[in-house]
Amino acid sequence: QAVGATPHLVGVTSFCDVPGVAVVGDFNPRPEAVMAQEPDVVLMAGYESQSSVAGSLTALGLDVKMLPLVTLADMRASTREVGAIVDRQAAASAVITAFDGALGAVVEPAKKPKVLLVYDVQPGFVITTGGGDHLSELVAACGGVNAISGPVTARIGLERVLEAAPDLILHVAPDQRFADSAAALKHWSAWASLPAVATGNVVVYPDDGLARNGPHLAAVVPRLAAFIAAAAR
């Protein structure tokens, strides 16, 4: 879609925003639904959790391409690969250029605020990222510092959050409990000693654009940079 090849699409997942195209599954596609669309190639995110489904589709005779989508370098490489598959190389290059231009336009704050990226909040724990993914890379590119170091997906106790003392608490996408920043700030107000809470820098990113790694991220960069700049003041 980002490279202008929507007419080539015959199937998408329930997470995709492409009206009029058949939905063939959610995070994992349904083999029978995929086969019904008679695709020439099947594009899948290159996550280990999807390897068995990819194997099943390959066994059915489908040409499956697993695209890496963890880091920003993965995003650039996958965009180029998709562009090559649909013969839209120039459009793919333009997408990458626009993203890199958005990064280049960021004015980093003099002070680098510590950012806690929140996937989910459980009783006594927070699910976050410890680095090595597009989220941490975007935070760094926009002048922030990931408050937590560790695995890409990390389950940490609230005591570690208190020790990290983030200047910005950023929920990477809205959910039922944290539909907006006001709801998140109300929850975190129980820990008023956190710098992010004391200054009101508790934010819920308004859609799933930050959480997803893809060529749309050029539009995410200025908004993320603004959140980080506000936390640096």
Side-chain angles (χ1 to χ4, degrees):
Q1 193 174 10
V3 298
T6 302
H8 290 268
L9 285 172
V10 296
V12 296
T13 75
S14 58
F15 300 107
C16 301
D17 183 19
V18 190
V21 179
V23 174
V24 298
D26 44 39
F27 188 72
N28 290 318
R30 301 188 304 272
E32 68 281 1
V34 175
M35 290 292 291
Q37 303 307 315
E38 301 182 347
D40 296 310
V41 62
V42 178
L43 304 179
M44 296 182 65
Y47 303 131
E48 182 62 31
S49 59
Q50 291 194 302
S51 59
S52 62
V53 177
S56 298
L57 294 175
T58 300
L60 292 171
L62 294 170
D63 182 9
V64 179
K65 304 290 188 186
M66 298 287 282
L67 304 176
L69 281 175
V70 177
T71 66
L72 295 178
D74 289 342
M75 181 273 287
R76 293 182 181 95
S78 293
T79 300
R80 290 191 181 95
E81 184 169 356
V82 171
I85 290 170
V86 297
D87 196 24
R88 298 281 295 176
Q89 293 93 330
S93 294
V95 168
I96 296 168
T97 298
F99 171 70
D100 289 336
L103 289 183
V106 171
V107 178
E108 295 188 21
K111 171 194 172 186
K112 292 184 177 294
K114 292 183 290 184
V115 182
L116 175 67
L117 293 156
V118 178
Y119 294 131
D120 191 20
V121 178
Q122 301 173 353
F125 294 92
V126 173
I127 308 300
T128 183
T129 173
D133 62 352
H134 80 282
L135 288 166
S136 291
E137 290 177 343
L138 283 174
V139 165
C142 291
V145 176
N146 193 341
I148 302 297
S149 60
V152 170
T153 303
R155 184 173 181 263
I156 64 170
L158 286 172
E159 69 280 357
R160 190 171 174 193
V161 174
L162 293 170
E163 291 172 1
D167 301 297
L168 170 63
I169 296 175
L170 177 58
H171 290 243
V172 300
D175 59 30
Q176 289 183 338
R177 288 182 301 157
F178 305 110
D180 54 31
S181 299
L185 181 58
K186 181 178 179 180
H187 169 82
W188 286 101
S189 64
W191 295 274
S193 64
L194 290 172
V197 177
T199 58
N201 284 300
V202 178
V203 176
V204 175
Y205 199 84
D207 54 43
D208 65 352
L210 176 61
R212 293 184 293 112
N213 188 8
H216 64 281
L217 288 176
V220 169
V221 169
R223 179 177 278 171
L224 176 60
F227 292 146
I228 289 174
R233 297 189 184 112

